[in-house]
Amino acid sequence: MTGTGDHEDAATYGATAQAAIRRPGRWWGRKGTAAKVESYTRISFHLFPVAQLVTALLSLTPVPARSALPVAGALLVHVALGLRLTGQALDWVAGRRARPRRLLYAYMACGFAGAAIAALVLVKLPDDPPATYYTACVGTYVLFLAFSCGLGVLALRTHRQSLVAVAVATFGGWLLGSALLPAPAAAALALSTLLSAGGLTLASRFSIWLLQAVYELDEARHTRARLAVAEERLRFGRDLHDVLGRNLSVIALKSELAVQLARRERPEAVEQMAEVQRIAQESQREVREVVRGYREADLYTELLGARGVLSAAGITCTVTGTPTGLPRPVQAALAWVVREAVTNVLRHGNAAHCRITLTVVPAGPRAEGRPAVAELTVENDGVPSASDGSSGSTGGHGLAGLRERLAAEQGTLEAGPAGKSAFRLVARVPVPADEVAESGVPGETAERARQELE
């Protein structure tokens, strides 16, 4: 489906891209840990061909232009293929595309062809050339072989294939040295090829292993978060079953009794149906309370759930204070604040730490007629910029709804930046001195949450 929605999405994407270009720091700050590691790895590997180009061109400076031109041409082609192979190989490692086999074979073939051209230039040098000629050609030869292995292994599946590539490169170095150089120099050339190709190969394989480990850890983190959500849904299902299970059984029993009485034309059938109607209305009210989150509006459960969900998402959560003695309406209002604040922490920014503090500020001896105030503070880091509202906006629908709920209890809500890369949400609800928490035994879930929280 196309239309206004697509134009809005395109406009939003364009604005985001322009903002990222203007503010690269914010673009980097919005990335998650896995995305940052991947970006760092991509940048590092794309610098490999650039380093090869600069090093080889500098080493070819002493060689005559007629001899160095073919080598430089092969070098440029090899570098261009290396840059393209790096991007596609890392996409393959991330599971976003198929393995770039043809590009890998072309890159390896170009590397060995460039090495052969460098060797041919070395053979065709005039008699008794300067030592710098030998050094330049041999160095370029080794660079072709080493970087062919170092970047080529990004698209290889197994460590054995990587070892074979290093062995082939080392053999190539020994082959050139044994044909043109004395035995000690040939051994040194083979050793330098082995160290160069082996070092680059080891660095590439280790980087790929580290990137895959980060991917797996990130997937495990998301899995834990999904499991936490599933557990919360199961809890909601249990609460719904507790509400409807008994009432539906009573409704079925009384309606069956009413049918039997009606068949006998007994007046008690009307009383039984009236009772069925009353129980159905009560069940409807209780279900509505469960859906709206007002059933046993106990702040203990919400605080414990917030700590569990944030911990599952890899965010360190610290909860300070307990809602002991707070009235039910105050607890219900603050429970909604906790729920919305945790949602914002998970959805916006890249938080690593979150602190939830609940305190009751007394009225004081001079504040006659003023009630105590229950103050809930939720503060998190990982906000890229205080001006872009990444962790929530004072005009957002979620925070606007919280203000309406708190206003019903004469409460207030403040939300905004708290220093560099931090966001703070503060909710205050007055607690009248003559109002105490509603009597009654707390539910099993709330009581267990209170014990775990304490």
Side-chain angles (χ1 to χ4, degrees):
M1 181 177 180
T2 60
T4 306
D6 292 341
H7 292 295
E8 292 178 354
D9 292 341
T12 302
Y13 176 79
T16 304
Q18 293 177 2
I21 294 174
R22 292 194 302 265
R23 298 182 295 272
R26 298 181 183 178
W27 166 79
W28 179 262
R30 292 190 182 97
K31 286 180 174 291
T33 303
K36 288 180 179 179
V37 173
E38 180 181 352
S39 299
Y40 174 80
T41 305
R42 285 181 179 274
I43 294 173
S44 300
F45 278 117
H46 279 88
L47 290 178
F48 276 22
V50 177
Q52 176 191 4
L53 177 64
V54 173
T55 304
L57 290 180
L58 290 178
S59 63
L60 288 175
T61 303
V63 181
R66 180 180 299 178
S67 301
L69 189 60
V71 181
L75 178 65
L76 292 176
V77 175
H78 193 243
V79 169
L81 291 176
L83 291 173
R84 186 172 180 81
L85 176 65
T86 299
Q88 294 189 10
L90 291 177
D91 288 339
W92 170 66
V93 171
R96 303 190 186 104
R97 59 166 299 134
R99 182 183 175 210
R101 296 181 180 179
R102 295 182 179 179
L103 185 58
L104 171 63
Y105 298 151
Y107 179 71
M108 300 290 284
C110 181
F112 285 106
I117 294 175
L120 184 61
V121 170
L122 183 61
V123 173
K124 296 297 184 179
L125 287 177
D127 296 336
D128 298 329
T132 54
Y133 284 18
Y134 275 105
T135 303
C137 294
V138 171
T140 306
Y141 181 89
V142 173
L143 287 176
F144 271 114
L145 297 180
F147 279 93
S148 295
C149 291
L151 290 181
V153 296
L154 294 178
L156 297 180
R157 296 184 181 275
T158 62
H159 298 295
R160 182 177 298 178
Q161 294 175 344
S162 302
L163 293 177
V164 170
V166 174
V168 172
T170 305
F171 176 76
W174 174 83
L175 186 63
L176 176 66
S178 61
L180 302 177
L181 302 174
L189 179 60
L191 180 61
S192 63
T193 305
L194 174 62
L195 294 178
S196 301
L200 290 176
T201 300
L202 181 62
S204 298
R205 297 301 301 185
F206 177 77
S207 298
I208 293 301
W209 171 81
L210 180 62
L211 186 60
Q212 291 175 340
V214 171
Y215 284 145
E216 293 177 359
L217 290 175
D218 189 63
E219 180 62 25
R221 172 181 171 180
H222 285 84
T223 301
R224 290 178 59 186
R226 288 193 295 268
L227 289 176
V229 173
E231 183 178 356
E232 182 65 18
R233 289 176 178 172
L234 289 176
R235 185 181 70 85
F236 177 81
R238 288 194 299 266
D239 290 347
L240 196 61
H241 176 270
D242 294 341
V243 170
L244 292 180
R246 181 185 64 84
N247 291 350
L248 289 178
S249 299
V250 174
I251 288 175
L253 180 62
K254 286 187 173 293
S255 60
E256 182 180 358
L257 178 59
V259 169
Q260 298 296 332
L261 293 175
R263 288 175 179 176
R264 299 176 186 178
E265 299 182 354
R266 297 284 298 274
E268 290 85 352
V270 177
E271 298 178 0
Q272 295 297 327
M273 290 307 299
E275 184 68 14
V276 168
Q277 182 183 15
R278 185 191 65 80
I279 296 176
Q281 293 175 349
E282 181 181 354
S283 300
Q284 183 181 15
R285 178 183 59 80
E286 292 181 351
V287 169
R288 188 180 296 111
E289 290 179 354
V290 170
V291 174
R292 295 178 60 185
Y294 283 118
R295 180 175 180 260
E296 282 190 3
D298 192 279
L299 194 52
Y300 288 108
T301 305
E302 294 301 330
L303 291 174
L304 181 63
R307 186 167 62 183
V309 170
L310 292 176
S311 299
I315 301 173
T316 303
C317 180
T318 304
V319 179
T320 305
T322 59
T324 304
L326 290 179
R328 285 289 177 85
V330 175
Q331 290 196 32
L334 295 180
W336 277 103
V337 174
V338 172
R339 192 174 303 179
E340 179 66 22
V342 171
T343 301
N344 286 342
V345 171
L346 293 174
R347 292 179 58 186
H348 307 291
N350 187 27
H353 303 278
C354 179
R355 183 171 67 252
I356 302 176
T357 306
L358 176 64
T359 58
V360 178
V361 181
R366 298 183 180 181
E368 297 181 0
R370 294 184 181 180
V373 176
E375 182 176 289
L376 177 70
T377 303
V378 182
E379 184 174 349
N380 64 279
D381 60 359
V383 180
S385 174
S387 61
D388 60 2
S390 299
S391 184
S393 173
T394 56
H397 295 290
L399 298 184
L402 287 181
R403 287 189 173 90
E404 294 178 359
R405 296 180 185 275
L406 293 176
E409 302 296 330
Q410 288 77 45
T412 60
L413 181 69
E414 296 178 2
K420 185 178 180 181
S421 301
F423 190 86
R424 180 185 298 132
L425 186 147
V426 181
R428 298 181 179 90
V429 181
V431 182
D434 57 347
E435 186 175 354
V436 295
E438 296 181 8
S439 60
V441 180
E444 180 181 354
T445 304
E447 180 65 20
R448 183 169 59 253
R450 183 186 65 81
Q451 294 177 358
E452 295 183 9
L453 187 63
E454 294 179 348

